[in-house]
């Protein structure tokens, strides 16, 4: 009885030795790999002239100075909402694409897949293909085995280190980073980042591999809610492959006609589709959560079908409806809904970008004390105005007050000269005769106007006066 | 025995009463390793930081910290006090670039520089909180009867940058003699009423008129310090009696001015409370500079 078995919490991992394969999808993957690595590793060295006072790195996330430079765009902390919009867009795009084309992100674009692919390629260079690696791992330790293992891990760690430094290079000047890194003068954060990225890259791409997809990755687990019968999946044509009598290995001297006559399907049970799978599953068992839709089994099967002179496509990108010979409809309410949200987010993003202001105004009112009575009977409030100039050149800003009749405004200096990308504060004193006020709290606006461009910002705040003094003190005096 | 439906688990091998066995469920491996890691952490910690008592002393640890104490570099084993000193030193060094700039500049030059004024406002707030707020309160709003407000436009000794700097550096000692022994109570009442009339709070015109005569008479001589018009004298810190700003007398919220009794008490007993200590020697000249600028901008300055 099954219950008599010892309690098992965790199946020990069956090591996967993926075989290399050639084919259409492998070529697409190679192309994307090359593009992704070129961008990731080289982008930090691309320069972009922003004028004096600004860094010339095309992409720089300058955390100490709180600015993100992305080519011609400079993002300030006030615009971090764009990051949220971008992430929202990316998430909905992922759902949308997954709903239509299945897990293409997993198979082609995910960092885990990309780096695992690179690590497997290195492994193949050093230790050989699947059978050679399996043999090597079974062998007792020898000098040759030790040397190969050392070479592989050294290369892996080298790639992991490069990955770590390249990542850190997005946060500081890339050329300076390399020099400072080895002179031990780089920021501690650079060393910590590199160390963490090196360790995680080596562990995740080298040691954990498909376990990350099958055991950690939440996305793999909730894909089922994004899939439907129309979604593209990698699938095995069971009807064609199995026939009425199941799959069978080819016998000598029997052609396709004899197979058909014996009731066997087109699958010759060569097992290549299992051997090439990076997550080690058998696609012939149907759609499984481990499948990352990379299509390598399609390549393997097509190669075999070619060699046995059978039509390709026993394993293919298809959908459950196509497998049943029904018409596929990609534009279901679900995908239309995703598309609508995508469009809305894109419009929001464009609107937000188009209306970006180069001027940020912050007003803080002195609250200790909230108001002061002056010797001539007027009430004074004090404000601290901070003007941030997000432009690449200095600008001067004139400050005035709207909506406070009879107010005397004392600002020095006015206009305020603020340097490129700098923030500067100034103190504003407002003196108002209390008789001219209707309430103890009066709304009014500061208007900050850039001289020249005419760009202006308003900041609504309040003027406070003692309750008993406002509105002309005629009730209990005299 | 009935067939057990429980999964088989390794037992410790001890059996009581024939069939009571103790399961052996070892701790999860990750937990055990985390425990070992804490042990390793503790050992490393012992080496780096002060840890074990030894006789009358203790193991000091390998970490060394260097701090400047009174201009001399002192090296010590790591401890919270040295770490604190090092922290403070770092703070002072970070501030020094501003202090160095302030050093050669006049008060007017600094007040015309918005960037430096930003530093003055933040550094001044701390200095003010540490040294001045006890009497003048945190925002400089003053405390009637204790210390004048610094946020309005009424200055006892003058509100220019130089005068404020002079006040902080040398201190001030305001003094008003007690008129109780020299005057009759009704004379004191008349003077108090006149004082109220100066700022428009008089209720008894006849009494105020009598007070006005006394104020300007040579026997009482209030005008000697407060001026013929009662506008005060900043040379000696005599307050202006004609405005609505009261330094030493608490304002009665119902009357919106001090009561006559309050003013009578001040005239009777005099004032010897306006003592502002000298900060020269306690604060550096640069700190006094920052405070002068800070106090000047509290109310808009003069």
């Amino acid at each position: 009885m099954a219950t008599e078995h010892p309690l098992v919490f965790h199946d020990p991992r069956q090591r996967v030795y993926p075989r290399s394969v050639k084919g259409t999808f492998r070529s697409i993957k190679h192309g994307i790999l090359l593009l992704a690595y070129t961008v990731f590793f080289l982008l930090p060295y691309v320069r972009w002239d922003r004028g004096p006072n600004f860094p010339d790195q095309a992409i720089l996330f300058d955390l100490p100075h709180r600015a993100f430079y992305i080519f011609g765009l400079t993002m300030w902390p006030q615009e971090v909402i764009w990051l949220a919009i971008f992430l929202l867009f990316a998430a909905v795009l992922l759902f949308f694409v997954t709903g239509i084309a299945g897990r293409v992100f997993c198979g082609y674009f995910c960092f885990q897949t990309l780096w695992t692919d690179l690590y497997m390629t290195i492994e193949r260079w050093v230790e050989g293909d699947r059978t050679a690696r399996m043999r090597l791992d079974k062998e007792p330790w020898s000098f040759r085995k030790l040397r190969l293992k050392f070479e592989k891990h050294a290369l892996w760690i080298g790639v992991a280190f490069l990955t770590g430094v390249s990542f850190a290079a997005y946060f500081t000047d890339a050329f300076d980073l390399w020099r400072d890194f080895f002179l031990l003068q780089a920021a501690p954060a650079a060393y910590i980042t590199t160390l963490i990225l090196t360790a995680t890259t080596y562990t995740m791409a080298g040691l954990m591999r498909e376990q990350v997809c099958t055991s950690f990755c939440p996305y793999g687990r909730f894909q089922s809610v994004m899939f439907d019968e129309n979604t593209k999946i990698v699938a095995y044509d069971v009807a064609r492959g199995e026939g009425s009598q199941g799959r069978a290995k080819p016998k000598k001297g029997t052609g396709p006609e004899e197979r058909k006559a014996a009731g066997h399907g087109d699958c010759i049970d060569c097992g290549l589709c299992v051997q090439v799978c990076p997550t080690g599953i058998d696609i012939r068992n149907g759609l499984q959560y481990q499948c990352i839709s990379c299509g390598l089994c399609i390549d393997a099967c097509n190669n075999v079908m070619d060699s046995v002179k059978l039509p390709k496509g026993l394993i293919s990108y298809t959908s459950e409806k196509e497998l049943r010979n029904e018409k596929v409809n990609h534009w279901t309410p679900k995908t239309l809904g995703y598309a609508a949200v995508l469009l809305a987010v894109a419009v929001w993003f464009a609107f937000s970008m188009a209306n970006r202001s180069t001027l940020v105004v912050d007003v803080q009112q002195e609250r200790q004390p909230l108001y002061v009575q002056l010797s001539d009977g007027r009430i004074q409030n004090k404000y601290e105005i901070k003007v941030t100039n997000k432009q690449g050149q200095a600008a001067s800003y004139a400050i005035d007050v709207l909506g406070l009749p009879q107010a005397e405004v004392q600002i020095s200096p006015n206009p305020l000269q603020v340097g490129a990308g700098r923030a500067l504060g100034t103190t504003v004193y407002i003196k108002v005769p209390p008789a001219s006020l209707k309430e103890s709290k009066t709304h009014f606006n500061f208007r900050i106007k850039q001289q020249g461009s005419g760009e202006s910002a308003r900041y609504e705040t309040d003027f406070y006066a003692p309750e008993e003094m406002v509105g002309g003190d005629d009730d209990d005096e005299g | 025995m009935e067939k057990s439906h429980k999964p088989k688990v390794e037992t410790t091998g001890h059996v009581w009463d024939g069939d009571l066995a103790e399961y052996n469920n070892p701790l999860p491996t990750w937990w055990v390793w985390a425990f070992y890691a804490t042990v390793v952490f503790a050992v490393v910690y012992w080496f780096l930081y002060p840890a074990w008592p030894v006789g009358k002393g203790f193991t000091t640890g390998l970490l060394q910290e260097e701090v400047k104490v009174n201009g001399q570099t002192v090296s010590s084993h790591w401890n919270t006090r040295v770490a604190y000193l090092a922290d403070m030193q770092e703070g002072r060094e970070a501030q020094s670039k501003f202090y160095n700039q302030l050093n050669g500049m006049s008060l007017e030059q600094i007040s015309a520089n918005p960037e430096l004024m930003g530093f003055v406002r933040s550094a001044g707030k701390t200095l003010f909180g540490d040294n001045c707020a006890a009497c003048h309160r945190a925002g400089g709003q003053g405390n009637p009867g204790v210390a004048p407000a610094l946020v309005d436009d009424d200055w006892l000794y003058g509100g220019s940058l130089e005068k404020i700097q002079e006040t902080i550096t040398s201190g001030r000692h305001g003094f008003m003699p007690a008129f109780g022994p020299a005057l009759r109570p009704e004379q004191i009442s008349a003077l108090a009423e006149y004082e109220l009339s100066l700022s428009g709070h008089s209720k008894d015109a006849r009494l105020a008129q009598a007070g006005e005569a006394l104020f300007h008479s040579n026997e009482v001589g209030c005008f000697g310090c407060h001026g013929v018009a009662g506008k005060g004298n900043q040379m000696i810190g005599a307050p202006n009696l004609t405005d609505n700003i009261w330094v030493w007398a608490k304002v009665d919220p119902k009357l919106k001015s001090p009561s006559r009794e309050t003013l009578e008490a001040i005239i009777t007993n005099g004032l010897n409370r306006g003592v502002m200590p000298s900060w020269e020697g306690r604060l550096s000249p640069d700190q006094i500079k920052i405070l002068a600028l800070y106090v000047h901008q509290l109310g808009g300055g003069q």
Side-chain angles (χ1 to χ4, degrees):
Chain A
M1 259 183 85
T3 49
E4 287 292 302
H5 285 301
L7 199 60
V8 174
F9 293 102
H10 171 66
D11 265 324
R13 178 193 182 200
Q14 299 296 315
R15 186 173 283 276
V16 180
Y17 294 90
R19 179 191 286 279
S20 69
V21 64
K22 283 194 175 71
T24 322
F25 294 106
R26 183 65 262 182
S27 304
I28 296 173
K29 267 172 81 79
H30 274 317
I32 293 170
L33 266 176
L34 198 67
L35 181 73
Y37 288 139
T38 311
V39 169
F40 175 76
F41 286 106
L42 298 183
L43 201 53
Y45 306 98
V46 177
R47 302 288 105 177
W48 189 272
D49 184 23
R50 295 189 181 84
N53 307 320
F54 287 99
D56 64 347
Q57 187 157 316
I59 297 210
L60 179 66
F61 304 115
D62 193 348
L63 295 180
H65 299 105
R66 288 162 185 76
F68 285 2
Y69 302 98
I70 300 158
F71 295 102
L73 176 74
T74 302
M75 259 177 81
W76 298 87
Q78 294 87 349
E79 286 146 357
V80 84
I81 181 78
W82 290 348
L83 187 63
I85 302 175
F86 174 75
L87 290 176
L88 180 61
F89 184 84
V92 180
L93 183 67
L94 183 67
F95 301 158
F96 177 68
V97 168
T98 306
I100 287 178
R103 288 174 72 174
V104 285
F105 173 76
C106 289
Y108 297 91
F109 303 102
C110 178
F111 313 125
Q112 177 62 26
T113 304
L114 291 175
W115 260 260
T116 303
D117 223 350
L118 179 61
Y119 272 51
M120 284 182 191
T121 311
I122 293 171
E123 191 173 59
R124 197 151 49 238
W125 283 343
V126 177
E127 295 182 355
D129 206 359
R130 177 181 155 90
T131 37
R133 293 205 302 274
M134 289 171 90
R135 211 184 312 118
L136 184 73
D137 279 358
K138 282 205 186 95
E139 265 173 33
W141 283 99
S142 64
F143 176 72
R144 185 182 148 272
K145 183 172 176 179
L146 204 65
R147 180 178 61 83
L148 290 178
K149 289 286 171 193
F150 175 81
E151 274 177 23
K152 178 178 86 175
H153 287 278
L155 280 170
W156 277 2
I157 289 171
V159 169
F161 174 74
L162 259 176
T163 307
V165 178
S166 299
F167 184 78
Y170 283 91
F171 296 87
T172 181
D173 187 275
F175 294 105
D176 288 353
L177 176 68
W178 278 107
R179 191 196 61 216
D180 293 343
F181 198 93
F182 293 107
L183 292 175
L184 299 177
Q185 285 167 354
Y191 291 106
I192 295 168
T193 307
T194 307
L195 187 73
I196 292 175
L197 260 287
T198 306
T200 48
T201 307
Y202 172 73
T203 314
M204 298 298 157
L207 308 179
M208 304 295 291
R209 292 189 179 177
E210 82 286 352
Q211 296 178 98
V212 175
C213 310
T214 57
S215 304
F216 308 170
C217 180
Y219 173 58
R221 295 297 177 126
F222 68 71
Q223 58 156 327
S224 54
V225 301
M226 291 183 276
F227 275 38
D228 58 29
E229 297 173 318
N230 298 304
T231 305
K232 286 276 181 198
I233 52 171
V234 173
Y236 167 68
D237 190 342
V238 182
R240 186 188 142 191
E242 305 290 313
S244 54
Q245 300 299 316
R247 59 183 89 123
K249 289 202 191 307
K251 289 194 191 84
K252 257 181 198 157
T254 55
E257 287 75 26
E258 287 92 334
R259 275 179 73 89
K260 212 165 257 176
H264 292 305
D266 282 356
C267 176
I268 60 162
D269 206 11
C270 62
L272 271 180
C273 56
V274 181
Q275 292 177 16
V276 299
C277 179
T279 59
I281 56 168
D282 187 345
I283 195 65
R284 294 170 300 180
N285 295 338
L287 181 61
Q288 294 146 72
Y289 77 91
Q290 294 99 324
C291 176
I292 58 168
S293 285
C294 65
L296 294 184
C297 51
I298 303 179
D299 281 345
C301 191
N302 282 347
N303 293 345
V304 170
M305 289 296 114
D306 265 355
S307 68
V308 296
K309 310 219 162 35
L310 283 168
K312 288 182 186 181
L314 181 56
I315 304 174
S316 63
Y317 267 110
T318 175
S319 65
E320 289 188 352
K321 274 197 172 171
E322 276 178 89
L323 282 176
R324 293 199 303 261
N325 290 317
E326 289 170 35
K327 204 173 141 33
V328 174
N329 176 23
H330 283 311
W331 298 104
T332 57
K334 184 187 71 179
T335 45
L336 283 172
Y338 283 143
V341 175
L342 264 185
L343 193 69
V345 176
V347 168
W348 177 22
F349 199 26
F351 183 78
S352 177
M353 292 274 263
N355 285 295
R356 91 184 282 228
S357 158
T358 60
L359 165 65
V360 180
V361 174
D362 220 16
V363 176
Q364 209 180 1
Q365 181 167 24
E366 176 66 58
R367 300 194 157 264
Q368 208 178 16
L370 205 49
Y371 49 77
V372 176
Q373 191 186 356
L374 301 176
S375 43
D376 59 6
R378 288 190 297 175
I379 300 298
Q380 174 171 286
N381 279 205
K382 183 180 165 194
Y383 304 84
E384 184 90 25
I385 295 191
K386 203 166 136 191
V387 177
T388 308
N389 172 16
K390 296 194 285 183
Q391 298 167 98
Q393 64 278 334
S396 51
Y397 298 92
I399 302 168
D400 62 354
V401 167
L402 304 173
L404 259 191
Q406 298 187 49
E408 187 199 325
V409 185
Q410 179 189 340
I411 311 169
S412 156
N414 192 17
L416 188 67
Q417 175 89 11
V418 188
R422 299 293 300 270
L424 198 58
T426 189
T427 314
V428 178
Y429 309 88
I430 300 182
K431 300 167 178 134
V432 180
S436 73
L437 298 168
K438 290 189 183 68
E439 307 271 346
S440 62
K441 180 174 154 184
T442 312
H443 292 301
F444 74 98
N445 278 287
F446 279 112
R447 182 174 59 184
I448 291 85
K449 213 170 172 179
Q450 189 192 332
Q451 299 195 312
S453 85
E455 182 176 358
S456 75
R458 283 180 188 219
Y459 194 102
E460 189 181 304
T461 183
D462 295 305
F463 187 91
Y464 290 90
E467 185 91 52
E468 65 273 10
M469 291 182 75
V470 298
D473 38 4
D474 42 24
D475 43 359
D476 54 354
E477 203 78 21
Chain B
M1 206 177 91
E2 221 183 313
K3 219 174 193 179
S4 167
H5 289 286
K6 282 207 175 105
K8 260 191 190 154
V9 178
E10 190 190 342
T11 68
T12 54
H14 309 153
V15 180
W16 294 268
D17 279 354
D19 62 348
L20 283 177
E22 191 182 357
Y23 277 179
N24 177 26
N25 280 318
L27 288 162
T29 321
W30 69 265
W31 194 98
V32 176
W33 280 105
F35 172 69
Y36 292 150
T38 61
V39 172
V40 172
F41 176 87
V43 173
V44 173
Y45 190 94
W46 295 341
F47 278 102
L48 292 180
Y49 292 96
W52 288 101
V54 181
K56 284 190 173 173
F58 55 91
T59 57
T60 57
L62 296 169
L63 283 185
Q64 291 285 315
E65 193 90 46
E66 279 191 357
V67 276
K68 275 208 183 99
V69 180
N70 299 328
Q72 280 181 318
T73 305
V74 179
S75 179
S76 161
H77 70 87
W78 186 95
N79 59 57
T80 48
R81 188 181 154 72
V82 175
Y84 167 74
L85 287 175
D87 243 20
M88 294 293 285
Q89 193 178 317
E90 222 170 85
R92 273 194 297 273
E93 275 160 16
Q95 285 192 339
S96 65
K97 68 167 178 172
F98 290 107
Y99 272 107
N100 290 343
Q101 257 180 294
L102 295 180
N103 202 294
M105 291 172 80
S106 74
L107 291 166
E108 279 75 20
Q109 282 173 322
I110 299 168
S111 67
N113 183 328
E115 300 239 1
L116 280 177
M117 279 309 286
F119 171 70
V120 165
R121 278 195 293 271
S122 57
K125 200 179 178 76
T126 312
L127 282 170
F128 191 89
D130 288 351
N131 299 291
C132 319
C135 295
H136 292 285
R137 297 176 58 193
Q141 62 268 57
N143 197 353
V146 178
L150 304 172
V151 289
D152 56 28
D153 60 343
D154 185 38
W155 298 90
L156 287 178
Y157 293 92
S160 68
L161 283 167
E162 281 68 30
K163 280 287 172 193
I164 296 171
Q165 189 182 32
E166 186 187 302
T167 303
I168 300 170
T169 310
S170 315
R172 297 290 184 188
H173 190 169
F175 174 74
M176 167 164 153
F179 289 89
L183 299 174
R184 293 195 306 278
E186 55 268 31
Q187 287 179 306
I188 290 175
S189 297
L191 282 169
E193 191 63 30
Y194 175 63
E195 194 184 340
L196 286 172
S197 78
L198 282 173
S199 49
H201 295 287
S202 173
K203 308 261 191 219
D204 187 335
R206 203 187 47 81
L207 194 60
Q209 215 167 3
E212 183 174 8
L214 282 169
F215 187 91
H216 295 99
S217 69
N218 281 323
E219 305 94 88
V220 184
C222 303
F223 67 91
C225 293
H226 291 288
V228 177
K231 296 242 181 227
N233 182 354
Q234 292 189 343
M235 291 294 287
I236 55 173
N240 184 349
L241 304 175
T242 63
D243 59 19
N244 254 316
I245 294 171
W246 304 91
V247 178
W248 305 116
K250 280 216 169 82
V251 173
D252 185 322
K254 259 197 249 156
L255 303 173
K256 289 176 209 162
S257 72
S259 66
R260 200 171 78 199
E261 289 73 32
T262 315
L263 296 175
E264 283 170 2
I266 290 176
I267 300 167
T268 307
N269 302 320
L271 271 172
N272 204 1
R273 286 178 281 176
V275 181
M276 155 105 178
S278 157
W279 294 92
E280 195 176 23
R282 289 201 246 186
L283 295 175
S284 75
D286 287 336
Q287 287 175 319
I288 290 178
K289 232 183 213 179
I290 288 174
L291 273 177
L293 288 156
Y294 179 77
V295 169
H296 185 261
Q297 61 87 49
L298 276 178
Q302 264 183 2

